[in-house]
Amino acid sequence: MRQAIGMQRGSPKGLKRNLTTRAMLVRPYTVRKGDTVFKISQKRGMTVDEVLSLNHGLRKKFIEEGQTILLPSSRLSSRDKEILDGVKSKGYRAYPVRKGETIEDITSKRGIRMGAVERLNEGVDLGSLRANQVIKLPKGKYTEREKEMMTGVCSIPHHFFSATKKLTLTKPFLLVVVVAVAAAAAYKSQQNEA
């Protein structure tokens, strides 16, 4: 475990500060169908041991769809980076289509009405999408996994929240949310072991 700056190694106060600092460096990740610890780590440029060290009790060979694990906030997959890049667009969200995805898949998972997508994508044949084709989606419409990733890395622009939810969320507030989610995921992980 790293030693907190300015704290003595044996100090209980230093240990508490160190654990708080580590909690702020992780984000929750919900395991998807087909995920393995190896695939998750590989997509983020990590080793399996790094993933296991963040998740007490996680076993390399046993991981379930829907299970929540912790990952470093700074380690993003290429898909995570694409999603974050798409948020930067003004007035809409740029969305890169995944292989095999249909417009129905995209809209139903995000609660988007087809008319809204058609208005944003005039002249685009939404019935025959191709992998990596970028389409426009309404801002503020995300899957739970996308929300989880964006909140966990604290990369959501301030105006993103205020424009879609009429709330003003500050960086300290987002930090509290990230720490709370990390704590909940750690608690859930411990409960799953019992």
Side-chain angles (χ1 to χ4, degrees):
M1 197 184 282
R2 296 187 313 239
Q3 184 175 351
I5 297 172
M7 298 290 177
Q8 293 181 359
R9 190 173 191 73
S11 166
K13 191 174 184 180
L15 179 61
K16 183 178 180 184
R17 182 174 173 187
N18 190 24
L19 291 175
T20 302
T21 302
R22 287 186 65 129
M24 293 185 301
L25 300 175
V26 297
R27 67 181 179 95
Y29 174 80
T30 303
V31 176
R32 300 174 65 143
K33 182 179 181 178
D35 273 346
T36 65
V37 175
F38 176 75
K39 285 181 183 178
I40 292 168
S41 62
Q42 186 180 41
K43 288 179 180 179
R44 289 158 183 83
M46 302 172 61
T47 66
V48 168
D49 287 339
E50 287 174 308
V51 173
L52 295 175
S53 73
L54 289 171
N55 296 278
H56 177 71
L58 182 66
R59 294 180 300 233
K60 182 169 41 173
K61 300 280 185 191
F62 184 73
I63 191 167
E64 294 180 2
E65 180 180 355
Q67 181 178 0
T68 301
I69 64 171
L70 297 175
L71 296 174
S73 297
S74 61
R75 299 292 186 97
L76 301 173
S77 68
S78 58
R79 182 66 181 173
D80 292 339
K81 292 173 186 174
E82 288 175 346
I83 297 298
L84 288 174
D85 286 343
V87 174
K88 297 175 186 174
S89 305
K90 301 241 184 222
Y92 62 90
R93 171 186 172 200
Y95 179 79
V97 177
R98 297 179 89 142
K99 182 179 179 181
E101 230 176 0
T102 66
I103 193 63
E104 291 79 17
D105 296 332
I106 296 166
T107 57
S108 66
K109 290 177 183 176
R110 292 162 183 82
I112 302 172
R113 294 199 173 135
M114 192 61 186
V117 177
E118 289 170 341
R119 282 189 295 281
L120 287 170
N121 295 279
E122 290 182 28
V124 176
D125 182 4
L126 296 172
S128 59
L129 299 175
R130 298 176 317 277
N132 301 316
Q133 178 180 356
V134 177
I135 61 171
K136 297 175 184 178
L137 298 179
K139 280 198 167 239
K141 301 290 187 171
Y142 299 94
T143 65
E144 289 305 312
R145 185 197 162 321
E146 290 167 343
K147 290 178 198 174
E148 173 186 88
M149 181 272 302
M150 290 189 293
T151 302
V153 297
C154 292
S155 294
I156 306 171
H158 180 283
H159 67 277
F160 172 80
F161 284 112
S162 59
T164 58
K165 301 291 183 197
K166 303 292 187 229
L167 294 175
T168 303
L169 301 181
T170 62
K171 284 184 181 179
F173 177 80
L174 287 175
L175 189 57
V176 169
V177 169
V178 170
V179 171
V181 169
Y187 176 78
K188 185 178 178 181
S189 176
Q190 287 176 341
Q191 293 300 314
N192 289 342
E193 291 174 20

